[in-house]
Amino acid sequence: LEWVGMEGIALPIRLAGADPAAPLLVPATVDVAVDLADADARGIHMSRLYLLLQESLASEALSAPALR
C-alpha cells in the first residue's frame, strides 16, 4: 500500500472571526492519508491520524501552516 487513510471524518474546524478572542467553530468533513511507499514501513494506527486532526483543527485557526 502506498497511501492509507480515512475519508469523511466529521470534525469541527476553528476559523478566525472578526473578534480574535472569539474564533468560530464550524462543522467540516475531513479526509486524511499518509504515504506508506517504504516497503519496510509497518503502517500507522488510524486513531493517531484522528487524534492529530482533532487536536490541531479544534485548537488552532485554519491556515496554510496549520494544514501542514
Side-chain angles (χ1 to χ4, degrees):
L1 296 175
E2 289 190 17
W3 286 92
V4 296
M6 298 181 293
E7 296 178 348
I9 304 167
L11 287 172
I13 292 181
R14 184 176 296 267
L15 299 176
D19 179 2
L24 305 169
L25 280 177
V26 296
T29 303
V30 180
D31 297 340
V32 62
V34 294
D35 183 359
L36 290 180
D38 180 359
D40 295 327
R42 292 182 59 203
I44 185 168
H45 289 281
M46 294 297 145
S47 61
R48 287 186 181 182
L49 297 177
Y50 177 80
L51 291 174
L52 285 170
L53 281 173
Q54 188 178 37
E55 291 170 7
S56 62
L57 294 178
S59 64
E60 182 179 346
L62 188 63
S63 65
L67 290 175
R68 284 191 202 109

